[in-house]
Amino acid sequence: MIRGEVTWLYAFDIAHDMRRGRLKTVLGCPVEPWVQAQDHRVPRQSFFHRPQVVRLPAVAVCLREGREAWAERTLKILPVGGISIAFTVEVEVEQLGDLVGWHEAPEACGSEAVRRLAQEVVEDLREALIQPLEALEDEEAYTVFRLDPPEEGDAEGWLERNRREVAALLTQEEDAQRLCEREVEETVSRSIGYYRDDLVVVDWDAALVVDRRGPAADVVGVLELANLQLCELEAYDRILDRAVESSYEDLARRKKRPHGTLRRLSELRVDLSRLSDELTHAGKFLGDWHLARVYDVVAARFHLADWQRVVEGKLGTLDDLYQVLKHDQSNRAMLLMELIVVLILVFEAGTVLVPMLRK
């Protein structure tokens, strides 16, 4: 018998930014900083990004086998205008293959339900949001399977014996035997552990955590933060796409008065550079080496560094467009000044020549 939990993570970009300061309540529930379990040794002067956490009331859900259960709900708020909503239910199955269908969340934890909840959060946080989105974009979803440690206490040995089933679970394949050996190796290659009885296997759409519930919460928190970072980077990418396209249109039209475009580009460059820097710093784990390694693994799987380079590249493109428009504006100003000088010279010449011609 396999016991554990399934957690469905949903990340949303809800605003351009948030006003700094600790929130007191959200949806009537108290807000508290995220606290690590610290199951293993960490440095005394450790630093760990602590988003604000809200533990919402549990909701009743109808599970796949027809029984009802309670789903725990937590909300994490990132100060750059992003939120992450997690639904967690306990599971008990005969074999790993029975968990494949759990990638799809029950209706009470599904996409429509979580979007309604996210919209309620946005309305409750509206006074703290800066430029909230009129309509939420699609959520960034991720599934985490947490299983109790194997009875023999050897997590790596358990993974070696069940590597094909684990790969099928994370890739959502019903028939584990259909997977080729290379795909199995690729899926289970991103694994990491700390003690003999725990491990984490990270894939693009889901992760497997073998550990006790308390220590596993830290790992799930790292996965949640990385998923939220991916969501925010995708949001920045969309904003930059629109800004670059708009700037190209302004250049093509050769607007006579580019002041508005320059001001908009200048503000956007500063805001996105600052937000991108804050988002990157949110992933710093300067105290807990194990969580830092977990973060490195999931960041590599999510290609967060590639997304960051894309965002920085588009910020560079915006900077180039800004410089082009600025240069164009300077040229127009210089041309106007030259025309004024010419007119002054013509006027002065006229004041001299006209009296002479009259004589």
Side-chain angles (χ1 to χ4, degrees):
M1 187 67 67
I2 298 175
R3 295 181 177 85
E5 298 167 335
V6 179
T7 299
W8 296 280
L9 304 175
Y10 302 93
F12 290 91
D13 175 58
I14 63 172
H16 187 65
D17 198 2
M18 288 186 65
R19 293 180 176 84
R20 299 305 182 261
R22 189 175 182 278
L23 301 169
K24 293 183 178 180
T25 61
V26 175
L27 299 181
C29 300
V31 179
E32 56 191 33
W34 183 39
V35 179
Q36 292 176 249
Q38 293 187 351
D39 181 55
H40 48 269
R41 287 191 60 202
V42 296
R44 297 184 182 90
Q45 301 298 327
S46 64
F47 167 82
F48 192 85
H49 178 76
R50 291 181 174 86
Q52 299 183 87
V53 180
V54 182
R55 304 189 186 281
L56 302 172
V59 294
V61 297
C62 183
L63 302 182
R64 293 175 57 83
E65 59 268 28
R67 68 182 179 89
E68 290 196 353
W70 290 96
E72 298 179 1
R73 300 185 300 170
T74 58
L75 167 69
K76 288 188 175 68
I77 304 171
L78 207 64
V80 294
I83 63 172
S84 179
I85 300 174
F87 292 83
T88 302
V89 298
E90 294 183 356
V91 294
E92 183 174 317
V93 295
E94 293 291 338
Q95 55 187 0
L96 279 176
D98 297 335
L99 287 173
V100 174
W102 287 83
H103 279 268
E104 301 297 330
E107 184 177 353
C109 308
S111 180
E112 292 185 7
V114 76
R115 287 183 69 83
R116 288 194 299 269
L117 178 58
Q119 195 60 56
E120 292 177 9
V121 172
V122 171
E123 293 301 323
D124 196 47
L125 292 175
R126 189 164 294 276
E127 293 185 359
L129 301 180
I130 300 174
Q131 298 182 23
L133 272 65
E134 295 181 1
L136 295 178
E137 298 283 352
D138 291 338
E139 69 276 6
E140 187 67 43
Y142 196 73
T143 307
V144 181
F145 299 92
R146 186 202 67 80
L147 305 181
D148 292 339
E151 294 182 358
E152 65 274 16
D154 183 7
E156 289 188 3
W158 177 87
L159 176 61
E160 184 62 30
R161 293 191 301 272
N162 297 277
R163 55 198 304 274
R164 182 167 291 274
E165 289 74 16
V166 170
L169 171 62
L170 297 182
T171 56
Q172 203 172 352
E173 287 290 338
E174 295 285 350
D175 186 1
Q177 301 307 315
R178 291 190 61 191
L179 292 175
C180 70
E181 185 60 31
R182 183 170 297 180
E183 177 61 26
V184 173
E185 179 62 30
E186 163 62 20
T187 303
V188 302
S189 62
R190 302 292 177 93
S191 64
I192 188 172
Y194 189 87
Y195 293 117
R196 292 185 65 251
D197 62 349
D198 70 67
L199 64 84
V200 183
V201 185
V202 179
D203 199 26
W204 171 257
D205 195 48
L208 173 65
V209 180
V210 178
D211 202 350
R212 290 168 289 119
R213 181 173 185 178
D218 290 346
V219 175
V220 176
V222 172
L223 298 171
E224 189 172 14
L225 178 59
N227 189 56
L228 187 50
Q229 285 181 303
L230 176 61
C231 176
E232 288 296 312
L233 286 170
E234 291 173 347
Y236 294 169
D237 186 62
R238 290 191 295 268
I239 293 173
L240 287 168
D241 280 341
R242 291 193 291 266
V244 170
E245 184 65 28
S246 175
S247 300
Y248 279 138
E249 292 176 358
D250 291 343
L251 281 173
R253 289 195 297 266
R254 290 292 177 183
K255 296 175 65 175
K256 295 182 179 180
R257 294 185 178 181
H259 305 288
T261 303
L262 281 171
R263 183 171 57 254
R264 175 172 54 82
L265 278 179
S266 178
E267 293 174 354
L268 188 62
R269 287 165 63 242
V270 172
D271 290 345
L272 286 181
S273 295
R274 178 176 57 82
L275 293 174
S276 179
D277 184 64
E278 286 189 5
L279 185 66
T280 303
H281 280 72
K284 284 188 174 180
F285 305 96
L286 303 180
D288 193 315
W289 301 287
H290 176 57
L291 293 182
R293 290 193 294 267
V294 172
Y295 178 79
D296 287 342
V297 170
V298 68
R301 184 64 88 178
F302 288 178
H303 301 283
L304 293 184
D306 294 333
W307 276 102
Q308 189 72 34
R309 282 192 291 270
V310 168
V311 169
E312 290 174 354
K314 291 182 179 180
L315 280 173
T317 301
L318 271 185
D319 186 68
D320 293 340
L321 291 172
Y322 175 82
Q323 296 301 331
V324 169
L325 287 173
K326 189 71 175 176
H327 184 68
D328 189 45
Q329 185 187 41
S330 299
N331 288 341
R332 291 174 185 272
M334 291 297 296
L335 179 60
L336 180 60
M337 291 178 63
E338 291 173 0
L339 288 174
I340 292 173
V341 170
V342 170
L343 290 174
I344 292 174
L345 292 175
V346 170
F347 177 76
E348 291 181 349
T351 58
V352 175
L353 292 175
V354 168
M356 292 176 61
L357 292 174
R358 287 178 178 176
K359 292 179 180 180

